Amino acid sequence: MASSWTCSRCTFINTDSKTPNCQICLSSSPISSSLPTSSNQEKWSCKACTFLNPYKISNCEVCGTRNSSFSSILSLDDEELELGSSAVGNVFLPLLQKCTNNNNTKRKIRDDPVEVGDDLGLSRGFKSANKKVVDSVDDDIIDLEVSRNGKSIDKASITSDKAQAKMDPRTLKILSYNVWFAEEIELRIRMRAIGDIIQLHSPDVICFQEVTSNIYALFQRSKWWNSYKCSLSLEQASTRPYFCMQLSKLPVKSFARNPFSYSAMGRELCIAELSTQGNTPLLVATSHLESPCPGPPKWDQMYSKERVKQANEAVDFLKSNPNVILCGDMNWDDKLDGEFPLPDGWIDAWSELKPNEIGWTYDTKANPMLSANRKLQKRLDRFLISLRDFKVECINMVGTKAIPEVTYLKQKKGGKELELPVLPSDHFGLLLTVSRK
């Protein structure tokens, strides 16, 4: 539609080009925000001190803060990643406008801080007073992931078991993870923690949701990146606010992206056509279905009908293939949306393998990073499967533990400030293992 415009913050497609603000999150339209005014035509306002600086300089003349519009997604060698203001850190917070205006999260600098390697991208000024050093976030994540439920497991044996499992070519692992585009909350450390999970479990296929161009660039610099073929180039990634992407160690016949027939948020089905041992075909698809996104004027935009339609479109497109794995952030609400529309022969992996476990992947109680949010517990992330030549072995959550020694401050309504731990994401990831029959 010639008169429509897509919000750069929440990706909602606004149909009236004359509307100066997004109907959902109230962000300014690119047209209205680019119109010159007599007071700011040649200047930019510092996000730290609000001083109006000439556009020709990249750093604030008063406090030295860098103008984020000068930042490049490729300039990640700086000590601190330049981040835009976050508006929709979580689509399930009740008021997007409230998120936009009152998201005052910041890093807690302890009296006795912990020094972490520069490649984790900690903020300037976060220096160790006692030279206590965390040698590797990888080890911390491994310790946390293999000692769940309070049971201590020998790290060497688990690493050996993982290596031994990878020697069996009949076994495949697929990771689905909404990595959370909230760039103001320890982006580099969180992405490094997700990288550690990848190195620990060594999935054959990875399906990410809510990737931003900054997150893409951080992943691209990681140790594990070169083991995978990616569905998107950095140039493609830089053209979108956030997106899904896939990575594969398996031979890739093709990557494809199919937009849904309708999406106010630009959602699509991403498909990887893969070849496994014996040239057995495998289709792995991922998506981020339409998000419940209440906003003015009625605050009732849950997008259930759109989400259900997208789920049906995805399944209809995939179901003719003999081996299909569909995963991702489905934003599914069983009470609102009903049962996920699965054809005969398809299964929900979590319900099939763990029928007695609730499986909430977004959980404000289990995820202490979200404890300041309103209560919400949903099984948003899922694996939907139809396999002829494979069988499902197990499915587990990953990223369920806080990153050691990292906290942030969140200001609640009324001015109260809470110190909260940081986890890799606001969602827990899902790791599925399948094997040849």
Side-chain angles (χ1 to χ4, degrees), residues 75 77-82 121-124 188:
S75 61
D77 289 322
D78 295 339
E79 291 181 40
E80 184 176 11
L81 182 65
E82 292 292 344
L122 296 181
S123 303
R124 293 186 183 94
R188 291 194 180 196

Side-chain angles (χ1 to χ4, degrees), residues 65-134:
T65 299
R66 186 171 174 80
N67 179 7
S68 59
S69 65
F70 281 82
S71 300
S72 166
I73 57 176
L74 295 175
S75 61
L76 294 173
D77 289 322
D78 295 339
E79 291 181 40
E80 184 176 11
L81 182 65
E82 292 292 344
L83 304 174
S85 61
S86 171
V88 197
N90 185 338
V91 295
F92 290 96
L93 292 179
L95 307 180
L96 288 185
Q97 182 183 6
K98 182 177 178 181
C99 296
T100 305
N101 297 332
N102 297 324
N103 194 352
N104 296 321
T105 55
K106 60 182 179 178
R107 180 173 185 81
K108 168 76 171 178
I109 301 180
R110 301 170 180 267
D111 293 333
D112 184 19
V114 178
E115 185 178 66
V116 187
D118 289 341
D119 58 335
L120 297 182
L122 296 181
S123 303
R124 293 186 183 94
F126 189 72
K127 299 178 179 179
S128 174
N130 58 2
K131 299 301 179 184
K132 178 183 177 184
V133 178
V134 177

Side-chain angles (χ1 to χ4, degrees), residues 310-341:
Q310 291 168 2
N312 277 294
E313 285 185 18
V315 171
D316 287 344
F317 185 86
L318 299 169
K319 66 183 182 182
S320 62
N321 296 276
N323 300 298
V324 179
I325 296 174
L326 170 61
C327 62
D329 179 2
M330 303 303 173
N331 278 316
W332 204 258
D333 186 330
D334 292 300
K335 293 182 179 179
L336 185 64
D337 305 331
E339 292 186 7
F340 200 94

Side-chain angles (χ1 to χ4, degrees), residues 229-254:
K229 184 174 182 180
C230 184
S231 60
L232 292 174
S233 67
L234 181 58
E235 291 72 24
Q236 291 171 318
S238 64
T239 64
R240 318 185 77 188
Y242 65 92
F243 47 89
C244 296
M245 76 177 188
Q246 296 173 285
L247 301 108
S248 176
K249 288 182 178 179
L250 302 175
V252 178
K253 294 182 179 179
S254 67

